[in-house]
Amino acid sequence: MPEKIKVYHLEDYKIMREGVKFLLSKDDEIEMVGGSKTADEVYSYLDKNKVDVLILDIYLDGLDVKTVDGFEVCSTVHKKYPDVKVIAHSVYDDADRVARIMNAGAVGFVSKKSGYEELVHAIKVAYTGKKYICIETSKKLKNLNEFLEGMVDTLRSENEFFSNREKEVLELLAKGYSSKDIAKELFITERTVETHRKNMVEKAKVKNTVELVAYASSRGFIKS
Amino acid sequence: MPEKIKVYHLEDYKIMREGVKFLLSKDDEIEMVGGSKTADEVYSYLDKNKVDVLILDIYLDGLDVKTVDGFEVCSTVHKKYPDVKVIAHSVYDDADRVARIMNAGAVGFVSKKSGYEELVHAIKVAYTGKKYICIETSKKLKNLNEFLEGMVDTLRSENEFFSNREKEVLELLAKGYSSKDIAKELFITERTVETHRKNMVEKAKVKNTVELVAYASSRGFIKS
DNA sequence: TAGCTTATCAGGGATTTCCCTGATTTTTGC
DNA sequence: GCAAAAATCAGGGAAATCCCTGATAAGCTA
């Protein structure tokens, strides 16, 4: 099967992250690789991992100290990680904000009033390098469609983070399984399981399995 | 099996309704019976059907003609359908709005910054006839506890589960620290650290530290 | 005051993880 | 079809965790 579109979600409301994560994961072509509520977490994730599409909540009022501005995040991501397509996801769908966010480098705009199919659609369109504005909003802003003009296609490379087998091991680790338990479950030897653990610890640059699971959990690698 | 708690959701953002519907449906005791974006749809549903809990987004800016006020909806529901427990679900978690909505007859308040487990918890508490305010918000309003006194039955404290010392240990564990490392950091013996770990593993009913961290992380006990 | 929780400390031993050294086979990408 | 990545397997030994048995002291509360 072809590689899935790797999607990261920046949004300060946890329940929204949780919901979107599930809804988008229903689509076979999409893989939710992470989600967080601060821009810094996004940057540090993007430094190490490949992400195709970033869903960005424009207004992050932020629990953290400094107030983060969604437009700024968008243009920073656009400059620093040009391969990442940004889709703005917002409750505000007025002309001014849509224009600003598209100028800041977003390739898509989806109102939160729209359902998840709109978001799925926007992601797929963005992935092909085109721009998209959700039906709801574009109806409202039909004079603004000049903004939807061609953009340069970007390159892509980088590698996957955890392999499928590693992810299987990871999930069982998070359930409290020992290497021996996992070996039985997956019909491989304990040694192999240990190798997978070791490799993941190295990849994630963490000290041990406990931190690995904390790391993976906070980035949404572990289902539950 | 006992009957499920029938939950209706009033919320003007479709994607949020979709997400919440799934997230809450994962719980065996909860049944999502409906959801809509206007108050009128709620009323007509309540006229014909039994609903135990109504999740109410306080500010419905509303695509529909007349602007609907969440506080008004709350008090209308409270008077007209006294058996329906209203839980306010909002992005605004300031003292003023919390107080107003509780006075308008809500039995629970959950910030959208909280995850779905908080909503699940609030629903179950509400169903038993008690009042509840989410951790996030009650932390924020802790100086205003005078006004919360008597108004709420369950101010779920974080200490409900792990003690402060245990949480300190937990945070360091999630950073990959060994018992020895933690002992140095906290100026206690390795043995004591081990006891804290053991106690947490027992409390959380998990198999080992790895699962403990996965458990804690998914419930937001670990900052980062 | 009696009982509960929290926080501290400890020995001994079984089990597990971690770390170093390797290796072969299978799958996948170009 | 070749090279790279992923998946498999292995020994040996140090370190850490896990599991059982305890204990003491402080603080809260009914």
Side-chain angles (χ1 to χ4, degrees):
Chain A
M1 74 193 134
E3 212 166 313
K4 292 188 179 186
I5 305 172
K6 294 181 195 308
V7 178
Y8 194 98
H9 190 197
L10 176 59
E11 156 74 57
D12 56 346
Y13 298 120
K14 188 178 180 191
I15 193 157
M16 182 70 94
R17 287 199 306 276
E18 292 170 331
V20 166
K21 182 180 168 185
F22 166 73
L23 294 166
L24 297 189
S25 297
K26 290 203 290 188
D27 194 285
D28 291 339
E29 295 172 42
I30 293 173
E31 182 189 357
M32 292 300 290
V33 295
S36 60
K37 68 170 181 234
T38 67
D40 289 341
E41 289 172 81
V42 176
Y43 301 146
S44 73
Y45 185 86
L46 292 177
D47 283 335
K48 296 182 206 151
N49 305 283
K50 186 194 162 206
V51 165
D52 298 308
V53 176
L54 170 67
I55 299 171
L56 175 65
D57 179 34
I58 299 190
Y59 274 105
L60 306 159
D61 38 68
L63 303 161
D64 47 351
V65 197
K66 56 181 177 204
T67 298
V68 186
D69 181 83
F71 300 99
E72 208 184 300
V73 176
C74 182
S75 86
T76 302
V77 169
H78 184 54
K79 281 172 203 151
K80 226 178 141 188
Y81 315 93
D83 292 344
V84 178
K85 317 284 190 197
V86 178
I87 293 175
H89 193 212
S90 178
V91 298
Y92 307 103
D93 57 355
D94 53 288
D96 179 52
R97 285 195 179 83
V98 174
R100 276 179 65 201
I101 199 77
M102 298 304 277
N103 282 332
V107 299
F109 185 95
V110 178
S111 163
K112 284 188 183 173
K113 286 166 192 157
S114 299
Y116 78 97
E117 318 90 26
E118 277 277 34
L119 209 44
V120 168
H121 186 73
I123 288 166
K124 292 179 183 175
V125 170
Y127 189 61
T128 68
K130 291 178 188 162
K131 290 185 176 181
Y132 182 75
I133 287 182
C134 69
I135 298 169
E136 191 89 41
T137 305
S138 65
K139 257 193 265 181
K140 207 177 148 181
L141 310 172
K142 56 179 172 233
N143 344 4
L144 212 80
N145 282 1
E146 309 91 66
F147 279 106
L148 309 179
E149 285 322 305
M151 200 188 181
V152 194
D153 215 16
T154 38
L155 310 167
R156 28 179 280 109
S157 57
E158 299 300 324
N159 40 2
E160 184 94 32
F161 211 67
F162 293 131
S163 72
N164 289 330
R165 198 53 156 174
E166 285 170 343
K167 276 186 273 186
E168 285 182 282
V169 172
L170 185 57
E171 304 244 337
L172 294 173
L173 281 170
K175 285 187 185 170
Y177 285 44
S178 68
S179 292
K180 192 189 280 181
D181 297 335
I182 296 171
K184 279 180 194 159
E185 186 79 18
L186 299 182
F187 304 105
I188 53 179
T189 65
E190 231 176 298
R191 282 299 183 184
T192 305
V193 176
E194 284 184 7
T195 304
H196 287 311
R197 300 170 68 133
K198 185 176 63 67
N199 290 338
M200 281 189 280
V201 165
E202 277 167 15
K203 275 190 194 176
K205 288 174 194 144
V206 294
K207 296 187 202 72
N208 53 33
T209 308
V210 178
E211 190 182 1
L212 173 70
V213 165
Y215 168 94
S217 181
S218 73
R219 279 169 183 72
F221 289 164
I222 295 169
K223 301 161 201 149
S224 87
Chain B
M1 72 194 135
E3 212 164 312
K4 291 187 178 187
I5 306 172
K6 292 182 198 307
V7 177
Y8 194 97
H9 190 196
L10 176 58
E11 156 73 57
D12 56 348
Y13 298 121
K14 188 178 178 190
I15 193 158
M16 183 70 95
R17 286 199 305 276
E18 292 170 330
V20 166
K21 184 180 171 184
F22 164 73
L23 293 167
L24 298 188
S25 298
K26 289 205 289 190
D27 194 285
D28 291 339
E29 295 172 41
I30 292 173
E31 183 189 353
M32 291 300 288
V33 295
S36 60
K37 67 170 183 234
T38 67
D40 288 342
E41 288 173 82
V42 177
Y43 300 146
S44 73
Y45 185 87
L46 292 177
D47 283 335
K48 296 180 209 150
N49 306 281
K50 188 194 164 206
V51 166
D52 298 307
V53 175
L54 171 66
I55 298 171
L56 175 64
D57 178 34
I58 299 189
Y59 274 105
L60 306 158
D61 39 66
L63 303 160
D64 46 350
V65 198
K66 57 183 176 200
T67 299
V68 186
D69 181 82
F71 300 99
E72 208 185 298
V73 176
C74 183
S75 92
T76 303
V77 169
H78 186 53
K79 281 172 201 154
K80 225 176 142 188
Y81 315 92
D83 293 342
V84 179
K85 317 285 190 195
V86 178
I87 292 174
H89 192 211
S90 179
V91 298
Y92 306 103
D93 56 357
D94 53 289
D96 179 52
R97 286 194 179 84
V98 175
R100 277 179 66 201
I101 198 76
M102 297 304 275
N103 284 331
V107 299
F109 185 95
V110 177
S111 163
K112 284 186 182 173
K113 285 167 193 159
S114 299
Y116 78 96
E117 318 93 24
E118 277 278 34
L119 209 44
V120 168
H121 186 76
I123 288 166
K124 291 179 184 175
V125 169
Y127 190 62
T128 68
K130 290 179 186 167
K131 293 184 175 179
Y132 180 75
I133 287 182
C134 70
I135 297 170
E136 191 89 40
T137 305
S138 64
K139 252 195 273 182
K140 198 178 154 182
L141 305 177
K142 63 173 173 235
N143 343 3
L144 301 162
N145 276 1
E146 321 85 59
F147 112 83
L148 292 173
E149 294 295 334
M151 178 169 277
V152 185
D153 298 293
T154 13
L155 264 177
R156 187 157 65 147
S157 73
E158 318 160 75
N159 290 8
E160 179 188 35
F161 225 77
F162 296 128
S163 71
N164 289 329
R165 198 54 157 174
E166 285 170 343
K167 276 184 285 178
E168 284 183 281
V169 172
L170 184 57
E171 303 247 339
L172 294 174
L173 281 170
K175 284 187 186 169
Y177 285 45
S178 68
S179 292
K180 193 188 281 180
D181 297 335
I182 296 170
K184 279 180 195 158
E185 185 79 18
L186 300 181
F187 303 105
I188 53 180
T189 66
E190 228 174 301
R191 283 299 183 183
T192 304
V193 176
E194 285 185 6
T195 304
H196 286 312
R197 299 169 69 133
K198 186 177 64 68
N199 290 337
M200 282 189 279
V201 165
E202 277 167 14
K203 275 190 193 176
K205 289 176 192 143
V206 293
K207 297 188 201 70
N208 52 34
T209 309
V210 178
E211 190 181 2
L212 172 70
V213 165
Y215 166 95
S217 180
S218 74
R219 280 168 185 71
F221 290 162
I222 295 169
K223 302 160 204 150
S224 96

